[in-house]
Amino acid sequence: MDAVEGRVALVTGGGRGIGRAIALALARAGAHVAVAARSVPEIEAVAAEVARLGRRTLFLPLDVSDRAAVARAPGLVAEELGPVDILVNNAGTHASMPVHKMDDATWDAILAVDLTGPMLLTRACLPAMYERGFGRIVNVASVAGKIGLKHGSAYSAAKHGLIGFTRSLALEAAKKGVTVNAICPSWTETQMLDEAVEAIARATGRSEAEARATILRSNPLGRAALPEEVAEAAVFLVRNAAVTGQAIHVDGGEVMS
Ligand SMILES: NC(=O)c1ccc[n+]([C@@H]2O[C@H](COP(=O)([O-])OP(=O)(O)OC[C@H]3O[C@@H](n4cnc5c(N)ncnc54)[C@H](OP(=O)(O)O)[C@@H]3O)[C@@H](O)[C@H]2O)c1
């Protein structure tokens, strides 16, 4: 059986941005796709797009920081579409603040969504993948999982952790037909970038255009990645059975390690 065609994918944070692009790219490649996030109109709209591509689909309201809901999610997907073959842990959140002003709630919330959620959902999907001898796990990390991010310590710590989780699980899963990889995008044209630009403009009094230019100055291409460029990497990681334990960059050459 093909690694994508006819498989069942679950994409968290699938309602917009990178997750939406991954959901649609997997559907174009032949997968049936469950689209999960909290904003129901967004996941409903993406599921409708998946359906228009001729694939079976499900929109699954899900907060990945809700342990009980995460534990139930693979079963709900299995009832509608079949067991999850491809899990894309893409849901993520970011907040900008220096460590000496970090409150416990912000730290806990970012770690819960960006690190613990992917572990919980992966753990819930693994038994069925191991049983069937096939699985693909793609974790959307960040270049901030490879380098420090000024005023982004919680996010960077969570993404470093997600890459460590990816590498460790890849070793456990290698002989069971399950590959586990991460993608490290640089700034990407999504709502998350727009929010970061607005926050910098507010904090510094600069215009949004100046704030954007500052953010993108360190990128060799001089631009943000596109969600579709990140999605192509996800489809590649699903297709290729020999690539596991990797954290590949889609970052215009911003980080080379
Ligand atoms: N954009 C960038 O520059 C960039 C760069 C590197 C890495 N990334 C990573 O790429 C991933 C996607 O981000 P994006 O840029 O596409 O951001 P986005 O446009 O803000 O989308 C984030 C997605 O995650 C979902 N989400 C957030 N919190 C959630 C929760 N608790 N439970 C379930 N879903 C949740 C959001 O939906 P709801 O709010 O409706 O739940 C949304 O669908 C994230 O992991 C992010 O860290 C982004």
Side-chain angles (χ1 to χ4, degrees):
M1 191 177 172
D2 189 81
V4 191
E5 177 108 43
R7 299 284 185 181
V8 173
L10 168 58
V11 181
T12 68
R16 61 176 188 263
I18 292 171
R20 171 181 173 273
I22 292 175
L24 296 179
L26 288 172
R28 272 186 218 104
H32 308 296
V33 186
V35 186
R38 294 167 303 173
S39 306
V40 172
E42 290 186 351
I43 53 176
E44 206 170 0
V46 175
E49 289 185 89
V50 171
R52 281 197 291 278
L53 290 166
R55 311 299 170 215
R56 291 189 294 126
T57 186
L58 164 72
F59 64 91
L60 183 67
L62 179 68
D63 180 341
V64 298
S65 67
D66 178 338
R67 285 174 178 261
V70 167
R72 280 193 303 271
L76 296 173
V77 177
E79 274 171 28
E80 293 286 325
L81 304 178
V84 176
D85 299 301
I86 300 163
L87 171 63
V88 182
N89 284 307
N90 163 79
T93 188
H94 173 259
S96 191
M97 67 184 66
V99 174
H100 68 282
K101 293 190 176 164
M102 177 75 68
D103 57 282
D104 290 359
T106 300
W107 176 270
D108 288 348
I110 292 175
L111 272 284
V113 175
D114 292 359
L115 178 58
T116 305
M119 185 287 290
L120 295 171
L121 192 51
T122 300
R123 187 179 67 185
C125 289
L126 275 177
M129 290 179 175
Y130 286 168
E131 201 174 290
R132 288 172 302 113
F134 179 88
R136 295 286 184 267
I137 296 165
V138 178
N139 295 319
V140 180
S142 167
V143 288
K146 295 280 188 78
I147 56 169
L149 188 63
K150 191 177 174 188
H151 296 166
S153 58
Y155 183 77
S156 185
K159 296 298 190 181
H160 274 76
L162 185 57
I163 292 172
F165 174 68
T166 299
R167 291 170 170 160
S168 301
L169 179 59
L171 296 175
E172 288 181 25
K175 294 266 173 58
K176 301 178 199 276
V178 177
T179 67
V180 192
N181 290 286
I183 303 176
C184 298
S186 58
W187 283 110
T188 304
E189 293 290 356
T190 71
Q191 186 172 309
M192 192 176 276
L193 172 57
D194 295 340
E195 287 169 1
V197 166
E198 281 164 28
I200 289 171
R202 254 196 324 273
T204 61
R206 292 185 209 147
S207 70
E208 289 195 4
E210 286 166 335
R212 212 184 136 80
T214 306
I215 278 184
L216 298 177
R217 191 172 297 143
S218 58
N219 189 284
L221 290 185
R223 69 167 176 86
L226 302 176
E228 293 72 22
E229 291 171 328
V230 181
E232 268 185 38
V235 174
F236 160 74
L237 291 173
V238 172
R239 281 200 196 288
N240 197 312
V243 178
T244 195
Q246 303 306 308
I248 65 167
H249 296 194
V250 181
D251 71 346
E254 195 168 309
V255 175
M256 299 186 185
S257 71

